[in-house]
Amino acid sequence: QVQLQQWGAGLLKPSETLSLTCAVYVDSLSGYYWTWIRQSPGRGLEWIGEIYHSGSTNYSPSLKSRVSISVDTSMNQFSLKLNSVTAADTATYYCARGAPLAAAGVYYYYAMDVWGQGTTVTVSS
Amino acid sequence: DIRMTQSPSSLSASVGDRVTITCRASQSISTYLNWYRQKPGKAPKLLIYAASSLQSGVPSGFSGSGSGTEFTLTISSLQPEDFATYYCQQSYTSPYTFGQGTKVEIK
């Protein structure tokens, strides 16, 4: 059974860089979109971005200037970096697997079917 | 961005009740709609994908319907573990936005 285990610093000062890593157990990275999502009382659930096993990325426009997602296929891990954090970036961050669950012509229906346990990140001076 | 709006924001119900939650998209998303359940302190769990397909391992009491801009999640008979918050999410186009959530509470 696939598991995602995530870790990273939970307390940051404004202007620092948020850095989180998610390890994928009992599965290959191939064929999936590896995703970061965050949740805060003010913003609810917010999709941050994703990376395909090949390394191609897709980011939310609202965060694109500050975010970077990378993948290390040799370690079966993927990572999130968010630069220049402010208090507005305080949230619980989740990694998740975006899986193609059904075909729709030449496209697929994707959903996040496996999630990490979440990491609470607080930005405070 | 596509805006997803759920209604109601919260509801009170009893074990055994039938519950329906609605999700509306600001533009047509065909059937690219997923539903998740989240319990306090836990990550969301996928229930329904492609608007009406039941995720493996999810009880058959959950069902989804709809297409275009209007969707529903129905729980046919509420169980104690179903008291939680439910979210819809569109997977039609990036950024893949979520609804604001519907909290199902015990009456």
Side-chain angles (χ1 to χ4, degrees):
Chain A
Q1 185 176 349
V2 179
Q3 290 186 20
L4 304 184
Q5 178 110 25
Q6 58 182 102
W7 65 89
L11 181 60
L12 297 172
K13 290 182 166 51
S15 81
E16 291 185 335
T17 296
L18 180 156
S19 182
L20 299 174
T21 298
C22 184
V24 181
Y25 295 102
V26 198
D27 196 11
S28 160
L29 297 180
S30 296
Y32 300 101
Y33 284 92
W34 301 96
T35 306
W36 289 97
I37 294 139
R38 67 182 182 181
Q39 184 174 33
S40 62
R43 283 197 165 93
L45 284 164
E46 182 180 13
W47 181 85
I48 298 171
E50 64 189 2
I51 188 165
Y52 198 54
H53 68 90
S54 62
S56 64
T57 54
N58 182 21
Y59 301 129
S60 173
S62 66
L63 295 169
K64 190 171 185 176
S65 63
R66 297 194 292 131
V67 70
S68 174
I69 298 176
S70 59
V71 66
D72 184 338
T73 53
S74 66
M75 297 286 287
N76 243 35
Q77 295 174 354
F78 62 106
S79 298
L80 168 71
K81 289 191 187 302
L82 182 66
N83 301 325
S84 305
V85 297
T86 70
D89 297 311
T90 294
T92 298
Y93 287 74
Y94 293 100
C95 59
R97 184 179 80 170
L101 296 176
V106 296
Y107 300 105
Y108 285 92
Y109 290 103
Y110 278 85
M112 274 77 81
D113 68 338
V114 182
W115 293 65
Q117 79 277 17
T119 301
T120 299
V121 176
T122 301
V123 181
S124 175
S125 56
Chain B
D1 298 3
I2 296 177
R3 182 174 179 84
M4 307 299 293
T5 304
Q6 291 181 230
S7 60
S9 295
S10 64
L11 64 91
S12 296
S14 302
V15 172
D17 283 354
R18 181 182 179 90
V19 166
T20 298
I21 298 168
T22 298
C23 176
R24 289 186 173 85
S26 60
Q27 67 183 73
S28 178
I29 58 170
S30 182
T31 52
Y32 289 86
L33 192 282
N34 305 318
W35 288 100
Y36 300 86
R37 177 181 72 187
Q38 185 179 32
K39 298 180 184 178
K42 300 292 187 183
K45 174 185 174 179
L46 178 65
L47 302 173
I48 300 282
Y49 63 93
S52 61
S53 295
L54 196 65
Q55 170 66 347
S56 176
V58 173
S60 59
F62 289 92
S63 63
S65 64
S67 66
T69 62
E70 188 153 337
F71 303 86
T72 58
L73 172 71
T74 300
I75 308 170
S76 61
S77 177
L78 266 178
Q79 300 303 301
E81 60 270 23
D82 298 331
F83 292 96
T85 302
Y86 293 81
Y87 295 93
C88 61
Q89 179 233 353
Q90 61 85 13
S91 60
Y92 180 74
T93 189
S94 169
Y96 303 113
T97 43
F98 291 84
Q100 83 281 11
T102 295
K103 188 173 185 179
V104 177
E105 298 174 301
I106 300 174
K107 185 183 286 184

